[in-house]
Protein backbone atom coordinates (compact mmCIF):
# COMPACT_ATOMS: atom_id res chain seq x y z
CA UNK A 1 0.00 0.00 0.00
CA UNK A 2 1.16 3.52 -0.83
CA UNK A 3 0.01 6.76 0.75
CA UNK A 4 0.38 10.15 -0.91
CA UNK A 5 -0.08 13.52 0.76
CA UNK A 6 0.09 16.78 -1.19
CA UNK A 7 1.00 20.15 0.30
CA UNK A 8 1.89 23.58 -1.03
CA UNK A 9 -1.28 24.78 -2.67
CA UNK A 10 -2.61 28.27 -2.16
CA UNK A 11 -3.56 31.58 -3.71
CA UNK A 12 -1.12 33.29 -6.06
CA UNK A 13 -1.30 36.12 -8.56
CA UNK A 14 -0.97 35.47 -12.25
CA UNK A 15 2.67 35.35 -13.24
CA UNK A 16 3.68 34.05 -9.83
CA UNK A 17 5.06 30.71 -8.69
CA UNK A 18 4.11 27.87 -6.39
CA UNK A 19 5.80 24.62 -5.46
CA UNK A 20 3.68 21.59 -4.69
CA UNK A 21 5.05 18.68 -2.71
CA UNK A 22 3.81 15.14 -2.43
CA UNK A 23 5.07 12.95 0.40
CA UNK A 24 5.00 9.25 -0.42
CA UNK A 25 5.00 6.45 2.14
CA UNK A 26 4.62 2.73 1.94
CA UNK A 27 6.08 0.22 -0.49
CA UNK A 28 7.55 2.21 -3.37
CA UNK A 29 9.49 0.19 -5.91
CA UNK A 30 11.87 1.22 -8.66
CA UNK A 31 9.26 0.56 -11.37
CA UNK A 32 6.90 3.21 -10.06
CA UNK A 33 5.96 6.25 -12.07
CA UNK A 34 4.49 9.31 -10.38
CA UNK A 35 2.18 11.83 -11.94
CA UNK A 36 0.50 15.15 -11.28
CA UNK A 37 -3.07 15.71 -12.41
CA UNK A 38 -5.47 18.59 -11.92
CA UNK A 39 -9.18 19.15 -11.98
CA UNK A 40 -10.81 22.51 -12.44
CA UNK A 41 -14.46 23.13 -11.47
CA UNK A 42 -16.80 21.63 -14.03
CA UNK A 43 -13.99 19.98 -15.95
CA UNK A 44 -12.54 16.50 -16.15
CA UNK A 45 -9.31 15.61 -14.42
CA UNK A 46 -6.37 16.21 -16.74
CA UNK A 47 -2.76 15.13 -16.92
CA UNK A 48 -0.12 17.69 -15.95
CA UNK A 49 3.24 15.91 -15.62
CA UNK A 50 4.81 12.55 -14.89
CA UNK A 51 8.21 11.23 -13.85
CA UNK A 52 9.72 7.78 -13.42
CA UNK A 53 10.86 7.03 -9.89
CA UNK A 54 14.12 5.41 -10.97
CA UNK A 55 14.82 6.78 -14.47
CA UNK A 56 13.54 10.33 -13.86
CA UNK A 57 12.21 10.54 -17.41
CA UNK A 58 9.74 13.42 -17.47
CA UNK A 59 6.59 14.09 -19.44
CA UNK A 60 4.49 17.24 -19.55
CA UNK A 61 1.15 18.35 -20.88
CA UNK A 62 1.53 20.91 -23.66
CA UNK A 63 -0.33 23.46 -21.57
CA UNK A 64 2.36 23.51 -18.88
CA UNK A 65 5.50 22.73 -20.86
CA UNK A 66 8.19 25.33 -20.23
CA UNK A 67 6.43 26.61 -17.10
CA UNK A 68 6.17 23.59 -14.80
CA UNK A 69 8.91 21.23 -13.66
CA UNK A 70 8.36 17.83 -12.05
CA UNK A 71 11.06 16.29 -9.87
CA UNK A 72 11.63 13.76 -7.13
CA UNK A 73 13.80 13.34 -4.06
CA UNK A 74 14.29 9.62 -3.54
CA UNK A 75 15.87 10.06 -0.12
CA UNK A 76 13.00 12.16 1.21
CA UNK A 77 10.52 10.07 -0.83
CA UNK A 78 8.89 13.19 -2.16
CA UNK A 79 7.55 14.37 -5.50
CA UNK A 80 7.50 18.04 -6.48
CA UNK A 81 5.81 20.25 -9.02
CA UNK A 82 7.43 23.65 -9.47
CA UNK A 83 4.93 25.92 -11.17
CA UNK A 84 6.15 29.18 -12.67
CA UNK A 85 4.43 31.86 -14.76
CA UNK A 86 1.09 30.74 -13.42
CA UNK A 87 -2.05 31.62 -15.35
CA UNK A 88 -5.67 31.86 -14.26
CA UNK A 89 -6.41 28.71 -16.24
CA UNK A 90 -4.02 26.80 -13.95
CA UNK A 91 -6.56 27.15 -11.15
CA UNK A 92 -7.56 23.65 -10.07
CA UNK A 93 -7.22 20.99 -7.42
CA UNK A 94 -3.89 19.29 -8.00
CA UNK A 95 -3.39 15.61 -7.27
CA UNK A 96 -0.30 13.46 -7.14
CA UNK A 97 -0.64 9.85 -8.14
CA UNK A 98 1.46 6.70 -8.32
CA UNK A 99 1.47 4.03 -11.02
CA UNK A 100 2.98 0.80 -9.69
CA UNK A 101 3.16 -0.89 -13.10
CA UNK A 102 4.96 1.74 -15.18
CA UNK A 103 2.24 1.73 -17.81
CA UNK A 104 3.01 3.31 -21.19
CA UNK A 105 0.03 5.62 -21.22
CA UNK A 106 1.22 7.83 -18.40
CA UNK A 107 -1.28 10.53 -19.39
CA UNK A 108 -4.31 8.41 -18.50
CA UNK A 109 -5.47 8.69 -14.93
CA UNK A 110 -6.81 5.13 -14.87
CA UNK A 111 -3.30 3.63 -14.90
CA UNK A 112 -2.52 5.19 -11.54
CA UNK A 113 -3.19 3.00 -8.53
CA UNK A 114 -2.75 5.46 -5.70
CA UNK A 115 -3.90 9.05 -5.27
CA UNK A 116 -3.43 11.85 -2.82
CA UNK A 117 -6.26 13.92 -1.44
CA UNK A 118 -5.49 16.95 -3.58
CA UNK A 119 -4.41 20.51 -2.90
CA UNK A 120 -6.12 23.65 -4.19
CA UNK A 121 -4.23 26.08 -6.40
CA UNK A 122 -5.96 29.37 -7.17
CA UNK A 123 -4.45 31.89 -9.56
CA UNK A 124 -5.90 35.38 -9.46
CA UNK A 125 -5.60 38.06 -12.09
Amino acid sequence: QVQLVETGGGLVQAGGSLRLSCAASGRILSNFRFGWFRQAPGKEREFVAAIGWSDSVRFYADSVKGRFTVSTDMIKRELYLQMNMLKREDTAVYYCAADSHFERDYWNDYVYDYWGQGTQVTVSS
Side-chain angles (χ1 to χ4, degrees):
Q1 195 74 3
V2 173
Q3 294 79 41
L4 303 171
V5 179
E6 305 97 333
T7 55
L11 174 65
V12 63
Q13 285 192 330
S17 298
L18 273 178
R19 187 194 195 207
L20 304 183
S21 299
C22 175
S25 59
R27 186 175 171 82
I28 299 172
L29 304 177
S30 59
N31 64 330
F32 271 48
R33 177 181 281 130
F34 288 85
W36 286 99
F37 288 77
R38 66 186 182 186
Q39 188 166 22
K43 294 188 177 181
E44 293 188 354
R45 187 162 55 189
E46 64 174 359
F47 168 75
V48 176
I51 184 169
W53 186 242
S54 60
D55 64 9
S56 296
V57 173
R58 297 166 170 82
F59 301 98
Y60 295 97
D62 287 343
S63 59
V64 306
K65 204 171 290 183
R67 300 188 297 123
F68 291 11
T69 302
V70 62
S71 62
T72 59
D73 185 323
M74 296 183 73
I75 296 175
K76 292 184 177 179
R77 292 160 65 93
E78 291 189 345
L79 173 73
Y80 306 105
L81 186 67
Q82 177 66 44
M83 306 185 293
N84 299 327
M85 296 181 288
L86 283 161
K87 305 175 182 179
R88 287 193 65 183
E89 51 263 43
D90 294 319
T91 295
V93 176
Y94 283 71
Y95 300 89
C96 69
D99 164 22
S100 62
H101 300 98
F102 211 77
E103 299 287 352
R104 289 186 178 184
D105 45 345
Y106 55 86
W107 59 89
N108 280 321
D109 58 1
Y110 59 76
V111 307
Y112 292 82
D113 313 282
Y114 306 100
W115 291 84
Q117 82 289 351
T119 185
Q120 176 71 46
V121 171
T122 303
V123 183
S124 64
S125 57

